[in-house]
Amino acid sequence: MTDNAGFAVGGWRNRVVEIPARDAGKPTVLEFRGGWFTSQYRLEVLETVQGQEAVGPCLATAMGLGPERFVLPVGCDRVRVRRFTTSGNSIAHGPWHLRDVPIEELTQLSEDVVKGKHSSLLCHVGPKANLRFEWESGEGGALFFRSFTDKEERPLTRHRALRGIAAVPSEGLLRIQGYGRWRLHLIPDGS
């Protein structure tokens, strides 16, 4: 199914999803939601290497009903949605939904405090800035940044960082990876 906002698709079982071509000047942001019956999925890039289909990197492991947002790698046009089960989870299928997200729909970083939990994807529109971050629960996490023109993201913090200040180099996307509640905000000049 497709709506005015762009690409959207859903299903109940494992499936390969063709991702429509997007504006080459901006990254493609996708959002995945698992279903009620089973909530564990892996989203993997499918690549063609020497004429053979190969599984590329895992983009996201979605565990839970909340949305999982991620950036599609440049040149990727197919994603495999694969359900997996763990001990004690015997449900064999469940509904899921995948859609593209306009960058304007992402929460923007500002001097106001932005709160969230677990993994997330935020947007920074503005010049270079300093970002104060703090994990309020859990074991901390990591921040990664990708400018709108970069093909790769780069780490802004160490793994399991609990609090600190990170330099956001330009406009782009901030990926938060971790479990637990976090809060962050841009620091005004002179602070």
Side-chain angles (χ1 to χ4, degrees):
M1 76 184 117
T2 303
D3 58 20
N4 294 338
F7 166 77
V9 67
W12 281 77
R13 300 194 184 280
N14 296 344
R15 180 174 173 186
V16 174
V17 178
E18 298 282 336
I19 308 296
R22 289 281 170 243
D23 177 14
K26 291 213 175 170
T28 300
V29 176
L30 296 177
E31 177 183 270
F32 181 84
R33 286 182 181 267
W36 286 98
F37 301 111
T38 232
S39 56
Q40 299 170 335
Y41 296 89
R42 283 195 181 93
L43 282 79
E44 301 160 322
V45 171
L46 291 180
E47 302 172 324
T48 302
V49 178
Q50 297 178 350
Q52 298 290 322
E53 186 170 82
V55 176
C58 181
L59 297 173
T61 299
M63 301 177 86
L65 297 174
E68 178 82 26
R69 290 180 171 172
F70 55 92
V71 178
L72 194 65
V74 173
C76 174
D77 64 354
R78 291 176 298 147
V79 173
R80 180 172 73 174
V81 177
R82 187 168 59 92
R83 177 198 37 82
F84 68 94
T85 58
T86 58
S87 178
N89 181 359
S90 61
I91 302 297
H93 64 278
W96 53 264
H97 304 279
L98 179 70
R99 72 179 183 103
D100 69 336
V101 177
I103 290 177
E104 299 76 32
E105 190 177 311
L106 297 175
T107 300
Q108 289 190 15
L109 294 172
S110 71
E111 292 180 11
D112 296 330
V113 173
V114 176
K115 294 182 179 183
K117 63 181 181 176
H118 309 314
S119 297
S120 191
L121 189 65
L122 307 176
C123 180
H124 174 62
V125 290
K128 179 179 177 180
N130 288 321
L131 176 71
R132 184 180 307 274
F133 66 92
E134 175 184 7
W135 257 263
E136 297 175 326
S137 67
E139 297 179 354
L143 304 177
F144 300 88
F145 182 78
R146 176 193 311 245
S147 76
F148 290 137
T149 56
D150 287 344
K151 293 182 180 180
E152 301 291 328
E153 68 178 14
R154 64 181 217 194
L156 295 182
T157 65
R158 294 185 328 267
H159 181 66
R160 291 190 171 187
L162 291 173
R163 67 188 53 83
I165 297 174
V168 179
S170 65
E171 291 188 325
L173 300 172
L174 178 76
R175 183 170 65 90
I176 302 166
Q177 178 183 317
Y179 291 96
R181 296 188 180 280
W182 47 261
R183 53 187 274 144
L184 43 84
H185 64 92
L186 296 177
I187 302 171
D189 287 340
S191 295

